[in-house]
Amino acid sequence: MIIKSTAAFGVAAILFFIVQQCTPGNKSTMSMAGDAAQKVYVAPGQKDEFYEFLSGGFSGQVSVYGLPSCRLLKVIPVFSVNPENGYGFNEETKPMLNTTDGFIPWDDSHHTELSMTDGNPDGRWLFINSNNTPRIARIDLSTFRTAEIIEIPNSGGNHSSPFTTPNTDYVVAGTRFSVPLGDNLDVPISSYKENFKGTLSFIKVDRTTGSMSMGFQILMPGIDYDLAHCGKGPSDGWAFFTCYNSEQEHTLLEMNASKNDKDFIVCVNWKKAEEYLKQGKAKEWKSDYIHNYWDEKKQMTISETKHNTMVLDPKDCPGLVYFIPCPKSPHGCDVDPSGQYICCGGKLASIIPVYSFAKLQDAIKNNEFDGEYQGIPIVKYAAAIAGEVQKPGLGPLHTEFDDKGYGYTSMFVSSEVVKWKIGTWEVVDRLPTYYSIGHLSIPGGDAMKPFGKYLLAMNKITKDRYLPTGPELNQSAQLIDISGDKMKLLYDFPTVGEPHYAQGIAAELVTKNQVKIFKLEENMHPFATKKESDTKVTRKGKRVDVYMTSIRSHFAPDNIEGVFVGDTVYFHVTNLEQDWDVPHGFAIKSSTSSELLLMPGETCTTKFIPLKADIYPFYCTDFCSALHQEMQGYLRVSKPGNNVKLQWGTGDTAPVQ
């Protein structure tokens, strides 16, 4: 047959393609794509099965996605200001970003970690670390808001955190960059080996309220502490950290910190640490740090300065800390669901070493040591190793586990996910990623009872995959089906910021605790106005306080006069609504802050300093009703000395002070 036109040729090509795809024995790409699309499709009106919480990396935030749809549900501001909802801008949340170095509006957030009960995520809280200015935050999952941030003293950086113990007694945090500690901090960098030290911090968590406090710190050799996980089951009471730069170098680490064949897994018996604390073995160090927490009743952040920490020195505490050799420059440190095995990811290795907790205990009992490192015993590698996953690929980083007895390891250099069998240590499957993979996440993948089903693979170095948006490529993640014998790629999606670690949880464990409104009668904010008739404007010197309400569809007051250039005006706005999903916004022209976004029953404050005499419109920024556009008002600002009385009101009423 001779095809005489381009159109006819196109139709013929399509028909030929369809025939080929439907030919028995020929694997159908269309069928595969259709199957994947069906598995990630969540129909309109339906909800996802899992929440997935991704760290934002250099965004300083947490992004929340639904699985399997991979739809972005929310961005939770934590260590960075967020003009969308006023976090870090309004007077209530500004103190959440206080540190001993002042107000810091940005940080580098790396690892999310869910609160746990009996070794499994319970849906109450999400913890996340800041890597730059050492801090740990706690997010309340009933509101999806940052409820608390605690600064970590005696630390030069905070990477190996905030991994929880099985009942959330502690979250742990290891120094990324060892630094000089104590009173003499001004020392030559070249004196690293003499003067630089690290710490491992155990942050105490109140299991009822979630409130964090400094439990204790362990003084450690001056090396770099990378990642961690806490034991569970038989290994409950222990925490495990990876570390690198055992050479204790301070320059050109990519060369100088790769001389030794092996670095270490750090094994900490934190139950024994508690015993030493009771025995008075800890020394009290003067250590200033800031603790910021949200007062639910007052609806504002309380910022407090603390002054002391309790520090344990392993030299004074036998049996507290041990080292196990591991391939150099390790990253991930992961504990399997049984709590029997500790898995290490050596970034430059071609094997995955897996250690036995039982063998570790026997080795300690039988004194099977290979010397010590700065006073800390080194357990013999052969005495602690359970097995090595051979030829998994190149550059293992991080391992998580499913509910069927398999581990899944991200391979950075060879850009793939490798599935291997716990116990036999044999590779059973592998799936390539299109980018250099970093962390991965299985819902419940570090718990005693993983949910399994899905694996999220996140990029470390991204590649071109989406429509270009300038010189910076989109950060990315891939959703993989792990329900069968073979892994199957389901979906690609771009992420907020640079994803490092993520944690997933069954949605039902979170949704059952959701707060929908803030009860107006429980609002104890000192500037709350609970009914429109109580609105007012007061002056004390050059400070003006506006007690304002918002309701569909007006502010009260909506006309204010008697404010002068040089005054500091505080707008305290209370949302009087008591229906779910009826927020109101507030913004005023020429403000140097952001908008306010107020949920029902909530009070928020913005500070406004007018620089010139003018009429300043203000308005609602969140569409709230058919008459949303009409929800507006005016502030009159006059020159100092003008005889303008302070007055306010709505309609024709204008009370005068």
Side-chain angles (χ1 to χ4, degrees), residues 265-280:
I265 297 278
V266 185
C267 309
V268 179
N269 186 338
W270 62 262
K271 288 284 189 181
K272 189 173 284 291
E274 291 183 325
E275 294 174 9
Y276 281 127
L277 284 171
K278 291 178 182 178
Q279 295 171 16

Side-chain angles (χ1 to χ4, degrees), residues 357-382:
F357 180 74
K359 292 185 71 173
L360 169 64
Q361 297 305 297
D362 288 341
I364 292 171
K365 182 179 179 181
N366 297 325
N367 292 315
E368 295 185 70
F369 300 125
D370 192 10
E372 60 180 37
Y373 182 89
Q374 297 195 13
I376 296 175
I378 302 172
V379 176
K380 290 183 177 179
Y381 180 83

Side-chain angles (χ1 to χ4, degrees), residues 200-235:
L200 304 178
S201 300
F202 284 71
I203 312 302
K204 188 69 176 173
V205 181
D206 185 299
R207 290 165 60 176
T208 301
T209 66
S211 178
M212 297 186 290
S213 59
M214 183 59 66
F216 60 89
Q217 295 183 302
I218 300 173
L219 186 64
M220 294 294 291
I223 51 183
D224 297 64
Y225 299 87
D226 196 25
L227 278 176
H229 264 101
C230 295
K232 46 186 173 279
S235 55

Side-chain angles (χ1 to χ4, degrees), residues 7 31 38 118 132 149 153 175 177 198 267 297 372 376-377 380 405 413 452 521 524 527 573 575:
S31 175
Q38 188 174 33
D118 297 328
N132 185 42
I149 297 179
T175 300
F177 311 104
C267 309
K297 292 184 178 180
E372 60 180 37
I376 296 175
K380 290 183 177 179
V413 177
E521 65 270 21
M524 304 301 291
F527 293 97
V573 188
N575 182 349

Side-chain angles (χ1 to χ4, degrees), residues 556-572:
D558 62 5
N559 280 210
I560 303 167
E561 300 185 33
V563 172
F564 301 99
V565 174
D567 283 343
T568 299
V569 184
Y570 291 91
F571 288 90
H572 313 286

Side-chain angles (χ1 to χ4, degrees), residues 96-143:
M96 196 64 80
L97 299 177
N98 285 346
T99 75
T100 52
D101 293 308
F103 176 83
I104 296 183
W106 171 87
D107 214 303
D108 183 20
S109 58
H110 278 215
H111 307 121
T112 53
E113 180 82 352
L114 290 158
S115 58
M116 291 193 179
T117 299
D118 297 328
N120 293 299
D122 55 30
R124 295 188 295 167
W125 310 307
L126 180 77
F127 300 92
I128 185 166
N129 68 323
S130 67
N131 186 38
N132 185 42
T133 301
R135 290 172 286 174
I136 291 176
R138 177 175 60 88
I139 295 167
D140 186 338
L141 291 182
S142 70
T143 60

Side-chain angles (χ1 to χ4, degrees), residues 21 40 53 78 118 196 228 251 265-266 281 290 293 310 332 363 378 395 411 439 441-442 452 471 523 563 569 630 648:
Q21 296 302 310
V40 300
F53 300 95
V78 186
D118 297 328
F196 287 51
T251 183
I265 297 278
V266 185
K281 294 286 188 179
I290 301 287
Y293 62 92
M310 303 305 293
I378 302 172
M411 310 298 293
H439 285 285
S441 168
I442 295 170
N523 182 343
V563 172
V569 184
E630 284 75 8
W648 65 92

